[in-house]
Amino acid sequence: MVDGDAAAQGDVYLTEEQIVALEAGLGSSSQETVLGSLQQLHRSLTDTSEAVERFVIEGSCMAHLQRLLTSSSGNVLLQAIWCTANIAANRTELCQKALVTAPILIAMLGGADPVRDLLVTMCQRGVVLCFTLVCYMCITDCKFLLLFK
């Protein structure tokens, strides 16, 4: 989990050092640490820093999210979905990286009841719909996306 004064003050801009800690947290065997790191990533994706963008585009962010999207923990799964949606709703380069999670999200729709129930809840909040819409716009290179920035 990422700690420090910046995180405590709600600063969403992460430094390279904080990204290293975030990456370690995402790979942790502790569910609490993973959950805290996902929450920090979720917050940092609302207004991305260069370090966060590099982590998503060039780093292991999407590999971690793909793994966490198969978690049996509802809280971890929910946060992983939120992070993925935030990446998909970002600029084109980040949105394209989120496309690797589409098969996992689609497979979840036919999965176990708790997972399906979680996705229905997320759909009701518009997140999965937003993810699908943004991915579609990214694939079609639709300039309509600029209206949402």
Side-chain angles (χ1 to χ4, degrees), residues 25-63:
L26 291 173
S28 174
S29 60
S30 163
Q31 184 174 322
E32 184 178 314
T33 302
V34 170
L35 190 56
S37 294
L38 281 169
Q39 290 167 341
Q40 182 65 32
L41 179 60
H42 170 99
R43 286 189 302 273
S44 71
L45 288 166
T46 59
D47 191 13
T48 58
S49 66
E50 288 182 26
V52 170
E53 288 187 7
R54 272 194 303 280
F55 179 52
V56 173
I57 294 170
E58 301 168 8
S60 63
C61 180
M62 295 315 301

Side-chain angles (χ1 to χ4, degrees), residues 5-144:
D5 294 337
Q9 295 171 359
D11 189 357
V12 296
Y13 291 101
L14 299 180
T15 65
E16 292 292 339
E17 295 80 23
Q18 290 171 314
I19 293 292
V20 170
L22 177 70
E23 185 173 14
L26 291 173
S28 174
S29 60
S30 163
Q31 184 174 322
E32 184 178 314
T33 302
V34 170
L35 190 56
S37 294
L38 281 169
Q39 290 167 341
Q40 182 65 32
L41 179 60
H42 170 99
R43 286 189 302 273
S44 71
L45 288 166
T46 59
D47 191 13
T48 58
S49 66
E50 288 182 26
V52 170
E53 288 187 7
R54 272 194 303 280
F55 179 52
V56 173
I57 294 170
E58 301 168 8
S60 63
C61 180
M62 295 315 301
H64 283 295
L65 287 176
Q66 284 179 288
R67 180 180 53 79
L68 295 171
L69 283 169
T70 62
S71 174
S72 60
S73 165
N75 289 332
V76 169
L77 183 57
L78 179 64
Q79 286 298 319
I81 290 171
W82 277 115
C83 288
T84 302
N86 281 358
I87 291 168
N90 224 298
R91 63 187 187 88
T92 303
E93 292 84 358
L94 296 176
C95 178
Q96 289 172 337
K97 290 297 182 175
L99 290 175
V100 300
T101 63
I104 297 169
L105 293 171
I106 291 167
M108 282 181 190
L109 293 173
D113 288 344
V115 174
R116 219 178 11 249
D117 292 346
L118 179 61
L119 281 178
V120 167
T121 300
M122 296 303 291
C123 284
Q124 289 170 342
R125 295 181 183 164
V127 173
V128 173
L129 178 59
C130 173
F131 174 79
T132 304
L133 179 62
V134 171
C135 287
Y136 174 77
M137 287 189 283
C138 180
I139 291 169
T140 60
D141 197 27
C142 180
K143 302 303 179 196
F144 183 69

